Amino acid sequence: MERWRPRKVVIIGAGAVGSTFAYALAQSGVADEIVLTDMDANLAQGQVLDLAHGLPFYPNVQISVGAPEDYRDAHAIVITAGSKQRPGESRLSLLQRNAHIIQSIMDGIQAQDSQAVVVVVSNPVDVLTYVAQQRVKWPRGRVIGSGTVLDSARFRFLLSKHCGVDVHNVHAYILGEHGDSEFAAWSISHIAGMHFDDYCQLCGKCEDWQAERDRIAEEVRTSAYHIIGYKGATYFAVGQALVRIVSAIVRNEKSVLPVSIVLNGEYGLNDVCLGVPAIVGEAGVERVLDLDLPSAERAALEHSASILKQALAQLVGT
Ligand SMILES: NC(=O)c1ccc[n+]([C@@H]2O[C@H](COP(=O)([O-])OP(=O)(O)OC[C@H]3O[C@@H](n4cnc5c(N)ncnc54)[C@H](O)[C@@H]3O)[C@@H](O)[C@H]2O)c1
């Protein structure tokens, strides 16, 4: 029988997203050990002390500053490390710098012979997940991106608010790129098993449901811009989304989540990472759900894939 070992989560990047995720994870009881690392050693040290002073109030958990050896026995490694855009810097140049960061992190993880599932969060998350996967060439399910889990949470929240129904009764998915070309997958979105069009008939509150649908999808797509405009970054909801993904991994929950994963023919797409519904368990993505989407949604997914492939081609061409 396999010996029990603590559920250990390593977070690389102790900035706004990494530290907020650590805080949410500590409160969740999902992990036994949380390890934070950052190229800024003082930042990592300060975050760990601040988090650890809350230990009397969390479920039992250890929180420490990490070293590369911590990758060895980790169950999940979450990468939130990234560079910010410098004044006057192009998006491509930022992408190149972040791709180099991800590659060197993946080299470090591989050097420790880690068996962990890696979750990439740094943006542009779909491109960087692909870069990470290409670097190590592990089974594709072991390197996943946070995909559209956060966007889908935003979608569920807005739908619940609009319909006046508990958010836990709303199952709804944003798919594709975590970014401008993402789209609302209405065909697989429900309230308590009812398609939204059917629920709308039942409810009868909206004057123009089609217009409301478009408005809600647009609000999801632009919400990160608004939050960044107000306060410079987004970190609370993504922290919770990461707890959800990591919980599925370390507790082998087999949860259906729209994470980013390299597609191998699903939806007719190859060699690109996109947010699609997948079953997530201890091995990472255990199965990609290749759904029979209606033609408009399939076209939207193909459009997202083409945008991401262009970004990858630019990266390779430099
Ligand atoms: N996927 C999502 O849904 C989602 C949501 C929000 C933010 N993000 C992304 O998460 C990333 C982090 O955002 P943030 O607000 O925490 O940024 P931040 O600047 O606060 O933190 C980034 C941290 O990474 C560290 N870092 C940089 N290079 C490193 C390296 N090589 N090794 C270790 N640490 C390194 C920096 O020192 C910094 O502390 C960004 O790319 C952001 O766009 C993704």
Side-chain angles (χ1 to χ4, degrees), residues 6 134 206 224 244 315:
Q134 286 298 104
C206 286
R244 184 70 194 86
L315 203 55

Side-chain angles (χ1 to χ4, degrees), residues 276-294:
V276 288
I279 298 176
V280 181
E282 63 187 348
V285 164
E286 300 187 352
R287 173 182 281 205
V288 174
L289 299 179
D290 190 0
L291 307 175
D292 188 16
L293 296 177

Side-chain angles (χ1 to χ4, degrees), residues 12-19 37-40 43 79-84 98 100-102 104-105 120-125 128 145-151 154 178 228 232-235 238 241-242:
I12 307 177
V17 173
S19 60
T37 70
D38 197 287
M39 64 185 292
D40 180 344
L43 178 69
I79 306 177
T80 69
S83 226
K84 288 209 163 108
N98 279 338
H100 287 138
I101 290 173
I102 295 291
S104 82
I105 289 173
V120 179
V121 187
S122 317
N123 275 323
V125 66
L128 294 181
S146 54
T148 46
V149 176
L150 169 61
D151 317 70
R154 290 173 174 150
H178 169 64
I228 290 168
T234 72
Y235 36 87
V238 68
L242 294 174

Side-chain angles (χ1 to χ4, degrees), residues 75 115-119 138-144 248-254 261 279-287:
H75 287 73
Q115 297 305 307
V117 174
V118 170
V119 181
W138 290 345
R140 64 170 174 159
R142 259 188 75 196
V143 182
I144 65 183
I249 295 165
V250 304
R251 299 208 286 209
N252 196 20
E253 288 171 351
K254 321 277 186 202
I261 173 90
I279 298 176
V280 181
E282 63 187 348
V285 164
E286 300 187 352
R287 173 182 281 205

